[in-house]
Amino acid sequence: MVKSKEMIRLALAVWAVNDGEKILKEDLANPNKMENSVWDGRTVRLFGARNETVAFQVIVEAGDAEASSLYVEMSGLVHDEHEDCRIENDSELSGDEASNVGLRIEVFTQHYLYVSPDLSTAPQWFYAASAPPLHRSGWIPDALIPANAKPRLGGQPVRAAARVNQGFWIDIYIPRDAELKAGIYRGTVTVRDGEALVAELPIELQLYDFALPDENHSLTFVYANDVSEYYPEVPDIRDRFRRMAHRHRFDLVGSEVHSRKFDAEALEQYAPYLNGSFFTKENGYEGPGEHVGEDVFPIGMYGAKVLGSEPEEMQREADKWVEYFEALKWPGSYFCYLIDEPLPAKYEWIREQAAIVHDSVGAGKRLPLLTTRRYTPEIEDSIDIWCAHKIDPESMEYCRASGDKLWFYNGYRPYHGSLILEAEAVDMRVNSWLRYRYGIKGYFVWHGTHWRHNHQGPRGRWNQNVYSYAVTFMYVAKDEAAYYGDDGVHFGNGDGLLFYPGREPFFREQDRGVDGPISSIRMKNLRRGIQDYEYLWLAAQRGYAAEADAIAREAVPSGMHETVVGGEASWSPCGSKWDEYRRRTAELIGAVSVSAGDRQ
């Protein structure tokens, strides 16, 4: 923990922590303060590869008086031995909210939401009673407000109250530029309170001599509804969300084209997102996956009746979709989202609908059908992709034998990481390790922009104040209580949020003045896990499959269909431990790179 003379006068403490922790506002005795995987008490030490985003947090702890004007800034990083090798923002290109070209270093202010003990998320859909999150209540950080937002609303300068933590999040995107030499890069984080220098933290980044692939070898998709009512003066707002999602290595679903009948003209307009021509510097995008298209396309999102209702019509429409994608030779996954979370009363309907599609004499018989449910024998001949809330042994055994795809959605500890606000930061990271460990490619998050409550429950269609009230999903289903084995009242803190609104016309005091989406700690850890998957994939590709598998088994000893019912989560909640796993995997890949260099 660094203290300068000015800090002693201001009674401020500054320290750093990895990206796998949530440091609560009131947690002044956090054990990571003295040392963690990126912090030795004086210096921040990171490591990464080209085409990767690495991140860490700076925590400013105010003393007995508030810090009224905090600024946190980070310099560029310069190679120890090659001054022309730099990782820094390109001032001529960065600065446009509609573009991330030239933006390599970003500083965000952490926004906290209070969860009272009385409103802590109950087990139900999010975790088993045996595997609760560590932090059930308190001021929990999530939204990450960019430095150029409105001051006092997360934009700098930031006010920190006395005797609390104020966290800042720093992203560093390492370009894929092959001219960036491996080695140590150095820079500085500067913390000021007004004009007074509070602290300077030295930064060391070890760059390994390899790059993460542009293509993802796992499949992650997040639903986002139309949010144009929040941004009436930003006509390209959906593209701004797409850029953020793509830079975090997941796909955004829920566009109009996903919920309408086959429309050749609309698909032609959508084609740049599928073939990757949208994700270019010319279109304001820089980062992983340049020139790489989206990897998933749901037909009839959430069961929208895009195929029609009459058998002949349904078969004609199915033919059109399959013929389109087969002609396109698109490498991604497309499917008809037949029905969402069906109860037994819908099984007969599912069988009827599937039979119509599968009995087509045309290409439509090859249209894959998805439902968000575990394998169910009563409809086993109807479904091609089972997207389960919990993956059980029967589902895994059946899909391995039949060839059906088995994916999962949302989160339920201890089967897989939870996505609620109270969950550990690493929970969103864990899910990608579980996918690698068990060979499960697909992961779906039901909502990322649940700012306006869906049609369900007592808040149906309400615009929600997501910056001040933690409960973002509430559902009362007394008629389903017996089926779910509970009282029928469900709610979740932070449920349905990976993005936060940059504009807020319904709660104007919360308007951040940002004409685009605002990210979150949960989104960053989702990205971290997807990148970790690529580490494991690279190690396997380079001849270290057994070693990568062993690291994955150590990281997640059990989960999915091997979950111990009634047991705790098998993985560590400690961010430093996950950095250790990633470091060991990097050393495997790096060893191959060094050997190849020696041969040359």
Side-chain angles (χ1 to χ4, degrees), residues 43-50 54 74-88 105 172-175 177-188 201-209:
T43 302
V44 179
R45 290 187 170 89
L46 312 168
F47 67 93
R50 300 183 194 93
V54 296
M74 181 172 163
S75 71
L77 296 165
V78 183
H79 196 287
D80 261 356
E81 299 175 1
H82 304 277
E83 191 173 344
D84 58 332
C85 286
R86 295 169 175 262
I87 302 169
E88 59 188 358
I105 298 173
I172 304 170
Y173 172 65
I174 306 170
D177 187 353
E179 295 182 2
L180 275 181
K181 298 184 183 299
I184 302 298
Y185 289 70
R186 300 184 190 275
T188 304
L201 308 185
I203 310 292
E204 294 181 8
L205 169 65
Q206 179 186 359
L207 179 61
Y208 282 90
D209 195 15

Side-chain angles (χ1 to χ4, degrees), residues 246-281:
H246 206 68
R247 207 173 201 204
H248 288 77
R249 290 182 172 262
F250 63 86
D251 288 339
L252 211 60
V253 298
S255 296
E256 184 180 359
V257 72
H258 297 140
S259 298
R260 63 190 301 180
K261 285 193 171 187
F262 183 89
D263 184 327
E265 183 178 345
L267 285 168
E268 183 178 357
Q269 295 173 355
Y270 196 82
Y273 308 119
L274 296 178
N275 62 34
S277 60
F278 172 77
F279 299 105
T280 63
K281 290 185 176 67

